[in-house]
Amino acid sequence: MKKLKSFLTNPQTVTGLVILVIMLGLAALAPVICPGNPLFSVGKPLQAPGGDFIMGTDYLGRDVWAMLVWGSRISIIFAFGASLLSLIVGIVLGALSGYIGGWFDDLMCRIFELFYIIPRTFLVILMVAFFGSSVGLMVIIIGITIWPSNAKIMRAQVLTLKSRGYVQAGNVAGGTKLGILFKHIVPNGMGPVLSNSILQMAQAVLTEASLSFLGLGDPNRASWGLILNAGQKHINSAPWLVIYPGIALALLLLAFNLIGTALHKTLNVKQAAME
Amino acid sequence: MKFGKYVLRRLLQMVPVILTIICLCFLIIHLAPGDPATIMAGETATDEYIAELKAQFGLDLPLWQQLLIYVKNTLQGNLGNSFLLKLPVSELLAEKMKVTLALVLLSEIIAIVLGTLLGMTAAKHENRIQDHIISNLSMVLYCMPAFWLGMMLMLLFAINLKWFPTSGMQSFNTPLSPLMDMLHHMFLPCLTLSLIRIPTYLKLARSSVVEVAQEDFINTARAIGYSERVVYRKHALRNALLPTVTQAGMSLSTLFNGALLTETVFSWPGMGRMVYDAIAGRDYPVIMGGFLVSAIMVVVGGFITDIIYMYLDPRVVAE
């Protein structure tokens, strides 16, 4: 409890949570704040910020503020979707790997190593280019490329917890192996995996933004990367197109990193698999 | 002799990893929707070219034979042809890789030096104002998307102040020598990549110096009467550098990711920019080749790091 209080009152966490709540608010209230499709042209192209459009318009006369508000939805979907997928896959495979051991563990460890080596953004780009860029598919692709660090942490947790007294007691009491693993060991080893998951949210958001920036995003959904992609071509004449969505992106990444690092410190986790 | 054995063992360990990466590429090509021949040849390819590819990669044979042929072709450097540029991918990559490596390695060296120095400064003043300033700035930089930082630097230094060119690697009609001209173009992309890599090394140096500073041999050195400068430079830094070397070796994959985006922003004519153009034109062999080559370079980079590490810390060989 004391730990929880120190985590929640720490200035880093507070800053992170405030930013995150604002972003969640924007995402949830997008239809109220900016009604209508943000991808429709509503004004003259490349209008500077001010007047009707507080963040100006892009080359098609679309309201940058509206795209930014709606774009927060995409970022939030990726943050939670991809990290949740990674969390589930990571926990299950990591726990089994640590508990079963043997050839399965060897195989898993090789896979962790492989994922550590492969340029991840590159792999995601490759898969999106080959398989398509709908939001659902991209969430899955990002999720399945980031799970190994969760699994690695969970595996280490299971290895240390396996020999604890209460686990032995469960064994003696005649619990099934899987029951003990997922009812007793995994819940007790969740802390570091959760803090890693928050850091992974930042990774997922950044990967999505990078993909959209490179022109691999879903062109039918407003996202920050999409505005940046268009903005890059007009950086000389319309710098507002790259300034605002970039600030939003950096703030959201900062929020996840602040909360994740603070949780890391509270739980006293050694820097495990940040990359 | 022991060293030789260690090097050989590490070399052999690379083989299955590289084979797995090649198999992964094969898997992606065959799982992707669409005919592998069309993926490799492009939608506008002539029937003749598709037939030639089918023969070359044995695309009518059973899958396992195709895999063997694919692995063999890849190991021989046959990565197919770019259908936008009509050139072999391997030739293109060999040329572009040099340009990328020049940018990436220079940036990484700058990041290592500055990051380590700043990290040491922060550690020396642990939990004091200097440390807070450095650590918070580092956090902000860490969260900065590379491509956005690049665009902001471009906006400020190239568009508003006009100190540096916005894109490319060379310009016509310049009074500068070719090398100076290239460095002039390289400045902003290099600054971008260095800035986003500094936090990694800073954090590492800070935490290892803080840790080492509590060790007995540091106290001993102080007791002997060495100045703080000597204690930190000679004793703390040396021990703190080991994790930095490991990190540098593992960073190549992060570097290629960063280069892809930074090169795109600054039109730096390296591999990243080429892959970006390939994405726009759905030039699959180039994207695939870029991925394969960078993944393999990462494996080789890891090998080189291990060899360097071995010289720094000979205990590794004994284990």
Side-chain angles (χ1 to χ4, degrees):
Chain A
M1 267 324 2
K2 215 174 167 188
K3 267 190 176 175
L4 186 69
K5 205 181 159 196
S6 85
F7 167 66
L8 285 176
T9 51
N10 149 346
Q12 286 195 329
T13 321
V14 174
T15 318
L17 283 176
V18 168
I19 300 173
L20 187 58
V21 167
I22 293 174
M23 293 289 177
L24 285 172
L26 283 184
L29 299 176
V32 183
I33 304 171
C34 304
N37 188 331
L39 293 178
F40 286 163
S41 167
V42 285
K44 272 186 283 176
L46 300 180
Q47 243 175 287
D52 287 341
F53 307 105
I54 51 166
M55 289 186 181
T57 59
D58 77 351
Y59 70 113
L60 291 174
R62 299 179 291 195
D63 184 359
V64 174
W65 164 243
M67 285 170 77
L68 196 126
V69 170
W70 283 84
S72 64
R73 287 197 159 188
I74 291 287
S75 293
I76 297 290
I77 290 173
F78 273 85
F80 288 90
S83 69
L84 188 69
L85 180 64
S86 153
L87 188 70
I88 296 170
V89 178
I91 286 176
V92 173
L93 290 179
L96 288 175
S97 167
Y99 200 65
I100 301 176
W103 67 269
F104 184 71
D105 191 33
D106 280 343
L107 178 70
M108 279 296 144
C109 288
R110 289 291 96 76
I111 293 179
F112 303 157
E113 274 167 31
L114 191 69
F115 271 93
Y116 209 78
I117 290 167
I118 292 175
R120 206 179 47 81
T121 313
F122 229 127
L123 178 65
V124 174
I125 285 171
L126 191 68
M127 291 174 72
V128 172
F130 275 75
F131 292 97
S133 56
S134 72
V135 171
L137 199 61
M138 277 166 70
V139 167
I140 295 175
I141 290 177
I142 296 178
I144 58 168
T145 50
I146 57 178
W147 65 269
S149 72
N150 277 341
K152 212 168 152 183
I153 298 171
M154 192 33 118
R155 175 180 173 272
Q157 290 288 92
V158 171
L159 285 180
T160 47
L161 293 174
K162 209 155 75 165
S163 52
R164 292 282 167 84
Y166 64 90
V167 177
Q168 304 294 355
N171 283 329
V172 174
T176 61
K177 282 193 168 165
L178 279 183
I180 292 170
L181 176 61
F182 286 104
K183 268 191 201 141
H184 300 287
I185 303 182
V186 168
N188 280 297
M190 280 295 280
V193 186
L194 282 180
S195 69
N196 190 55
S197 277
I198 296 174
L199 297 175
Q200 289 204 326
M201 290 182 181
Q203 250 181 31
V205 169
L206 179 61
T207 310
E208 186 279 327
S210 310
L211 287 174
S212 301
F213 173 71
L214 291 172
L216 277 172
D218 189 338
N220 302 316
R221 302 286 291 267
S223 74
W224 298 342
L226 189 75
I227 318 176
L228 287 167
N229 171 279
Q232 195 207 354
K233 293 164 194 117
H234 302 277
I235 190 168
N236 271 307
S237 51
W240 58 89
L241 280 178
V242 293
I243 294 176
Y244 298 117
I247 293 175
L249 178 60
L251 280 176
L252 185 60
L253 295 177
L254 185 68
F256 286 130
N257 276 304
L258 284 174
I259 301 172
T261 330
L263 189 59
H264 234 62
K265 277 185 192 150
T266 315
L267 296 167
N268 202 7
V269 189
K270 281 242 169 182
Q271 212 83 29
M274 285 269 294
E275 285 300 311
Chain B
M1 205 47 241
K2 255 188 161 177
F3 284 96
K5 232 178 171 178
Y6 176 77
V7 172
L8 190 70
R9 209 180 68 212
R10 274 297 282 113
L11 263 176
L12 287 177
Q13 277 173 0
M14 281 162 59
V15 176
V17 179
I18 290 177
L19 286 179
T20 317
I21 291 170
I22 298 174
C23 290
L24 187 69
C25 290
F26 180 81
L27 194 72
I28 292 174
I29 295 179
H30 284 265
L31 281 180
D35 176 32
T38 327
I39 290 176
M40 282 196 257
E43 268 136 28
T44 54
T46 58
D47 290 340
E48 261 168 44
Y49 182 56
I50 290 185
E52 190 194 315
L53 262 181
K54 277 193 169 164
Q56 201 180 6
F57 284 87
L59 293 176
D60 297 320
L61 298 169
L63 214 54
W64 66 272
Q65 281 183 344
Q66 285 188 42
L67 175 63
L68 288 183
I69 295 173
Y70 184 77
V71 171
K72 197 182 117 218
N73 273 326
T74 310
L75 288 178
Q76 286 172 346
N78 178 5
L79 301 171
N81 289 320
S82 154
F83 44 78
L84 285 182
L85 302 164
K86 314 273 180 229
L87 282 168
V89 173
S90 47
E91 237 171 72
L92 283 167
L93 280 172
E95 190 195 316
K96 301 284 181 182
M97 196 48 126
K98 280 183 242 159
V99 182
T100 294
L101 281 179
L103 172 66
V104 153
L105 293 180
L106 184 65
S107 316
E108 191 70 358
I109 292 168
I110 296 173
I112 291 175
V113 173
L114 288 180
T116 308
L117 288 177
L118 285 169
M120 273 178 63
T121 314
K124 236 169 152 177
H125 303 278
E126 198 194 348
N127 287 331
R128 272 181 283 164
I129 183 84
Q130 294 95 325
D131 182 23
H132 289 307
I133 293 174
I134 292 176
S135 299
N136 283 325
L137 276 179
S138 155
M139 184 64 167
V140 171
L141 267 186
Y142 183 77
C143 297
M144 205 77 90
F147 57 96
W148 187 61
L149 181 64
M151 286 196 282
M152 290 300 107
L153 292 174
M154 183 198 272
L155 206 53
L156 179 61
F157 293 111
I159 294 172
N160 284 336
L161 297 171
K162 299 201 182 340
W163 289 353
F164 299 98
T166 52
S167 63
M169 188 166 75
Q170 257 138 16
S171 37
F172 302 106
N173 300 326
T174 166
L176 299 165
S177 70
L179 179 69
M180 285 310 287
D181 184 40
M182 196 183 94
L183 289 175
H184 191 218
H185 281 82
M186 203 187 206
F187 187 87
L188 286 179
C190 189
L191 180 66
T192 309
L193 276 174
S194 310
L195 280 176
I196 56 158
R197 296 293 299 150
I198 283 178
T200 309
Y201 292 105
L202 194 156
K203 260 194 292 191
L204 214 56
R206 185 186 171 280
S207 60
S208 41
V209 171
V210 165
E211 211 170 284
V212 168
Q214 294 157 353
E215 300 270 349
D216 289 339
F217 68 88
I218 295 291
N219 282 330
T220 312
R222 282 204 179 109
I224 291 171
Y226 286 134
S227 69
E228 280 298 287
R229 224 181 120 92
V230 174
V231 171
Y232 272 96
R233 286 266 159 90
K234 280 223 157 141
H235 298 275
L237 178 63
R238 219 187 167 148
N239 283 281
L241 272 182
L242 284 177
T244 301
V245 172
T246 317
Q247 178 63 46
M250 292 187 296
S251 294
L252 264 178
S253 68
T254 325
L255 277 177
F256 284 123
N257 292 334
L260 181 63
L261 292 157
T262 314
E263 285 183 3
T264 303
V265 172
F266 292 99
S267 305
W268 181 256
M271 200 186 64
R273 178 73 199 188
M274 183 175 73
V275 170
Y276 171 73
D277 292 334
I279 291 170
R282 299 283 170 203
D283 195 347
Y284 295 111
V286 173
I287 310 178
M288 192 57 107
F291 170 71
L292 245 172
V293 169
S294 44
I296 291 174
M297 299 260 323
V298 176
V299 179
V300 177
F303 170 73
I304 296 172
T305 321
D306 277 358
I307 303 300
I308 296 175
Y309 202 99
M310 188 180 77
Y311 278 104
L312 290 177
D313 190 355
R315 284 172 300 181
V316 181
V317 183
E319 275 166 22

